[in-house]
Each structure stands twice: as structure tokens, then as C-alpha cells.
Amino acid sequence: MNQQPEITFPLDWEFRIVSMADVIDRVQPTCLGILHRTDPRATIARGLESKGGKYITLRAVCHIEDRNILKAVSDALAAVDGVKMLI
């Protein structure tokens, strides 16, 4: 059975966005724009860079009202050109 974990909404969710390093200057503001549609106070900051320098992690915090919004925001972030994955 595919049971979703129990999460109490609303909450502040931390997204970890893994981006290709060569497009980080475009990915970061694009992702922040997506987050701001849900939460105007959302923040995003650069995190760690991979050992080889190919990837950079962005740490983003956004207030999420319900599971449907969480899924929509996650899907939109994952669809950004240059985003390798969400953690």
C-alpha cells in the first residue's frame, strides 16, 4: 500500500534544489519566482557545491498551506530547466 507520511499543514517546507552550476544564475531567480507565487516571504540561498563543481544546491524555505500546493510547487521547481533534482 502506498501510504503518504503524516504531515501537518500549514508548515514551512525546506526544499533542496540541485542545479547545474553553469546555469545557477538563471535557475535561482526562476525558482524564487515560483516560490513567491505561493509565499511572498519565501527565501532561497546557495548551499554546497559538488566536489567537481558541476552542481550547486539551493536551499529554499516556503510556507505551504496543504499537500496539493506542496505537490504543485515541487513539480514546478523540478520542471525548471537546469534543475537536476529536488531533495
Side-chain angles (χ1 to χ4, degrees), residues 12-45:
D12 288 336
W13 189 267
E14 182 176 325
F15 294 93
R16 300 233 178 150
I17 305 160
V18 179
S19 171
M20 304 294 293
D22 60 343
V23 293
I24 192 72
D25 290 333
R26 180 181 46 76
V27 169
Q28 187 170 351
T30 301
C31 288
L32 185 58
I34 290 167
L35 296 167
H36 278 171
R37 290 192 302 240
T38 298
D39 175 10
R41 296 174 296 136
T43 61
I44 194 167

Side-chain angles (χ1 to χ4, degrees), residues 20-22 49-56:
M20 304 294 293
D22 60 343
E49 185 175 318
S50 66
K51 186 174 183 177
K54 188 173 181 178
Y55 304 103
I56 295 177

